[in-house]
Amino acid sequence: ASGGNVVTFSAPAAPTPTPTPAPSSSADACTTSPSLPSTKPTAANTGLPAGTSLVASGDINANTAGQVITAKNVTGSITVSANNVTIQNTRITLAGYWAIRIMDGVTGTRIIHNDITSANGAYTGITSGDAFICGNYITKFENAITVGGNTIIQSNFIEKLASDSPTAHFDGIEV
């Protein structure tokens, strides 16, 4: 048609997609809290990282603020009586009452990527009131983790609860 206007239609510009952050692994889930792992925690992807060289140790009393306990093979228990203690990449094998005990009033404890077990089914793997507990493999306890307030528990694997008491009441996480 003569004298008409030409109208041109074009497709709207495609919106720029928002990048989706990659899901974190179990290890990454322990570096940022709270964070979900990309896969469900299992015995294979929690606990002591493969290839970690360990130094033998007996009981440890972590009584220095900011102390880092790493790459130990503890036969006994760890008592935390100072703030901001980190226990990481360590194997704790207990034959007593608890593997890791955080004393009342202590804050900022981080328990990350450890194998925590007992020989015969001890009472408690970890007892705490203020802690970040992540990426641990915990086995053979009547109570794997016993917590009070202000504790974050994420990406741990708890299995094979056990006790040497015939009247045991089993709890993976006891509050």
Side-chain angles (χ1 to χ4, degrees):
S2 144
N5 292 331
V6 175
V7 178
T8 305
F9 294 96
S10 60
T16 304
T18 303
T20 302
S24 63
S25 67
S26 289
D28 293 336
C30 295
T31 60
T32 304
S33 171
S35 177
L36 295 176
S38 62
T39 59
K40 187 167 102 175
T42 67
N45 66 12
T46 57
L48 190 64
T52 303
S53 295
L54 302 175
V55 175
S57 175
D59 292 335
I60 296 174
N61 184 10
N63 55 12
T64 303
Q67 183 174 351
V68 177
I69 299 166
T70 188
K72 300 286 186 190
N73 187 8
V74 177
T75 303
S77 64
I78 299 174
T79 301
V80 178
S81 56
N83 293 334
N84 303 312
V85 169
T86 299
I87 303 166
Q88 64 187 14
N89 304 334
T90 291
R91 177 179 297 124
I92 301 118
T93 305
L94 174 70
Y97 196 73
W98 57 75
I100 299 173
R101 180 180 184 198
I102 301 167
M103 302 303 290
D104 290 341
V106 172
T107 62
T109 304
R110 297 176 56 82
I111 302 169
I112 305 169
H113 299 298
N114 301 289
D115 284 353
I116 305 168
T117 190
S118 73
N120 304 341
Y123 187 63
T124 303
I126 301 169
T127 182
S128 77
D130 182 302
F132 176 64
I133 302 169
C134 186
N136 299 288
Y137 175 64
I138 306 170
T139 183
K140 298 182 184 172
F141 288 96
E142 181 177 335
N143 303 295
I145 303 172
T146 300
V147 296
N150 205 30
T151 297
I152 296 172
I153 301 168
Q154 69 183 39
S155 304
N156 298 283
F157 190 73
I158 299 167
E159 71 171 345
K160 301 176 187 169
L161 297 176
S163 175
D164 54 7
S165 170
T167 60
H169 170 88
F170 299 102
D171 295 303
I173 299 173
E174 179 180 55
V175 180

